[in-house]
Amino acid sequence: MHPVLLVSLLFIGSAFAAADLLQNPDFETPPLHVPRNSTSPFQLLNENSTIPGWTFEGTVVYVTASQTVALPGDGHAIQLIQDGKINQTFHPNASYSHYLLTFVLAPGGQNCSNSGSIGVSVPDNHAVFSFKQHYGKEGWETYGVYLGSWEEQEPINLIIESQATESDANSTCWPVIDKLLIKTTETLAPGNDNLLLNGGFEFGPEFLVNSTEGILLDPAPSPVLSALRQWSITGTVKYVDSKHYFVPEGNAAVEMVSGVSAGIQTAMTVTEGSSYSLEFTLGDANDSCVGSFIVGAQAGPAAQNFTLQSNGTGSAKKLSLAFKADSMTTSISFVSYTTTQTKDGLFCGPVVDNVVLRASHAIKSVMKWEGLIPLLFLVAILW
């Protein structure tokens, strides 16, 4: 069987949905047995307190949005002090689906630009996050992470805990977490005219309803374990939506925000010696990111730098790169070669979207005829 046809058969079915798998994911249902007359936005939980839907250990604080702590809306959140931990067990609602987590991370007070880190853990996966300055206008950031894939109704324990270093021992600044949302995605299938999986970046973590800042994605060395499905990540990129940013096509795109070496990469099974065309769109996110963007694109043995002059108001340019496959596996990558900031000092960068890998006309003809063989065989039998 032709390798391209084999790939098409391996990836069948595609769907994605936000799942209400967690109880009290935004902590709006307040803890029990805490003082109700406190005027402080920070309420330390004691051994008699309980957080609906969650269990906790160590030093945990219930936080109300205030001038001291910025949160999405006028909501509530949980602060994890040095040994603080919260956890909840959820049950996957479909077998062999992939689960992605979106959450908000904020510093634990004014002048707390560096307020420690948190660890997000599930069976066989652990990731650490810290609040990053200068990636958005808000006093908080939204992050996305790949959790894993499990069988339906298998109990999964999600653990969120502070990650302290020796220098944090006497700190009064600790991370605040809020708005946890789990999304499920099934196995992806290539489109009718694109050999790449998720070339339009429509499959990624869920955007929060009341967030206008996009979702930060930290480095993910494996496309299998990446929240941006089928793409590995270097540096930090921002997953942006069409409601709040300029997206060249569809609902989502990728902005490479952490400067030089930020990028994405994937790989595809192809036919060695055959010719292919990689088409893609470069643009800016309409977020006041002005400058000369230089992006390196690589497809198999071919590599080329492309330049986009951005005025920061939303622009796009369709580009292409032709190559001949020198092996059965072809790597596709995009990397930023510039570091750009807005006038407000926010890090920003080029947007990549609508990445399409097409085979040459000859390969398409072979695919077409091989697809007709079973039908011709059936006709011969009936004749």
Side-chain angles (χ1 to χ4, degrees):
M1 181 177 288
H2 197 280
V4 174
L5 293 179
L6 177 60
V7 170
S8 297
L9 292 175
L10 286 176
F11 296 97
I12 57 175
S14 63
F16 61 96
D20 295 327
L21 297 178
L22 296 176
Q23 301 177 52
N24 196 20
D26 53 7
F27 308 107
E28 290 307 298
T29 303
L32 305 178
H33 309 299
V34 295
R36 294 289 182 229
N37 57 355
S38 175
T39 58
S40 171
F42 300 93
Q43 292 182 281
L44 179 65
L45 304 186
N46 57 43
E47 59 184 11
N48 296 320
S49 304
T50 58
I51 308 173
W54 300 85
T55 59
F56 74 92
E57 299 177 19
T59 309
V60 175
V61 176
Y62 189 59
V63 180
T64 301
S66 64
Q67 292 182 346
T68 304
V69 179
L71 295 172
D74 297 323
H76 299 84
I78 291 294
Q79 183 181 33
L80 303 173
I81 310 301
Q82 184 173 6
D83 56 349
K85 176 195 299 186
I86 59 172
N87 67 284
Q88 182 175 152
T89 298
F90 68 92
H91 295 82
N93 55 7
S95 294
Y96 309 113
S97 290
H98 301 275
Y99 293 81
L100 314 176
L101 175 67
T102 303
F103 64 93
V104 166
L105 190 62
Q110 292 179 325
N111 302 318
C112 286
S113 58
N114 183 7
S115 57
S117 305
I118 65 159
V120 177
S121 302
V122 289
D124 303 320
N125 196 12
H126 176 77
V128 177
F129 299 87
S130 58
F131 179 79
K132 292 183 175 69
Q133 283 186 297
H134 305 310
Y135 283 116
K137 298 178 181 179
E138 301 292 346
W140 40 267
E141 299 284 8
T142 305
Y143 289 82
V145 61
Y146 176 82
L147 293 181
S149 177
W150 305 281
E151 294 187 13
E152 188 173 3
Q153 295 304 311
E154 179 182 352
I156 303 300
N157 189 28
L158 172 65
I159 301 173
I160 314 290
E161 58 187 330
S162 62
Q163 301 280 305
T165 62
E166 291 183 1
S167 60
D168 297 324
N170 297 318
S171 176
T172 58
C173 295
W174 293 95
V176 173
I177 189 166
D178 193 14
K179 307 291 184 185
L180 292 96
L181 178 62
I182 293 179
K183 173 181 178 179
T184 62
T185 67
E186 296 182 0
T187 303
L188 304 185
N192 295 331
D193 199 29
N194 190 0
L195 300 179
L196 285 179
L197 298 174
N198 201 21
F201 309 117
E202 298 300 295
F203 295 87
E206 184 73 3
F207 294 101
L208 299 179
V209 174
N210 56 355
S211 174
T212 63
E213 293 294 332
I215 302 174
L216 294 181
L217 304 179
D218 280 348
S222 168
V224 177
L225 303 178
S226 171
L228 184 66
R229 302 305 299 136
Q230 301 300 324
W231 292 85
S232 61
I233 299 169
T234 57
T236 298
V237 304
K238 182 181 284 189
Y239 192 51
V240 297
D241 66 310
S242 58
K243 291 182 179 180
H244 304 102
Y245 295 85
F246 172 72
V247 170
E249 184 169 323
N251 299 315
V254 173
E255 182 182 12
M256 296 181 283
V257 294
S258 66
V260 176
S261 298
I264 55 175
Q265 181 177 10
T266 191
M268 190 67 196
T269 300
V270 294
T271 302
E272 186 174 355
S274 296
S275 297
Y276 294 85
S277 173
L278 180 70
E279 301 172 5
F280 55 96
T281 301
L282 286 184
D284 73 88
N286 189 24
D287 55 1
S288 302
C289 197
V290 178
S292 182
F293 299 153
I294 302 175
V295 176
Q298 181 172 357
Q304 184 175 339
N305 292 344
F306 296 87
T307 301
L308 175 72
Q309 192 64 41
S310 168
N311 59 10
T313 57
S315 61
K317 180 165 62 173
K318 291 187 177 181
L319 302 165
S320 64
L321 181 64
F323 68 98
K324 179 177 287 187
D326 58 358
S327 67
M328 292 186 63
T329 302
T330 288
S331 176
I332 308 293
S333 66
F334 299 91
V335 61
S336 173
Y337 289 133
T338 53
T339 298
T340 313
Q341 289 178 277
T342 68
K343 291 182 179 180
D344 296 331
L346 304 179
F347 286 102
C348 57
V351 165
V352 181
D353 196 14
N354 195 29
V355 183
V356 178
L357 178 65
R358 291 191 174 97
S360 69
H361 178 73
I363 294 296
K364 289 183 179 179
S365 298
V366 170
M367 293 171 62
K368 180 178 179 180
W369 279 106
E370 287 190 12
L372 287 175
I373 288 176
L375 178 60
L376 294 175
F377 181 72
L378 178 61
V379 170
I381 292 177
L382 294 177
W383 185 265

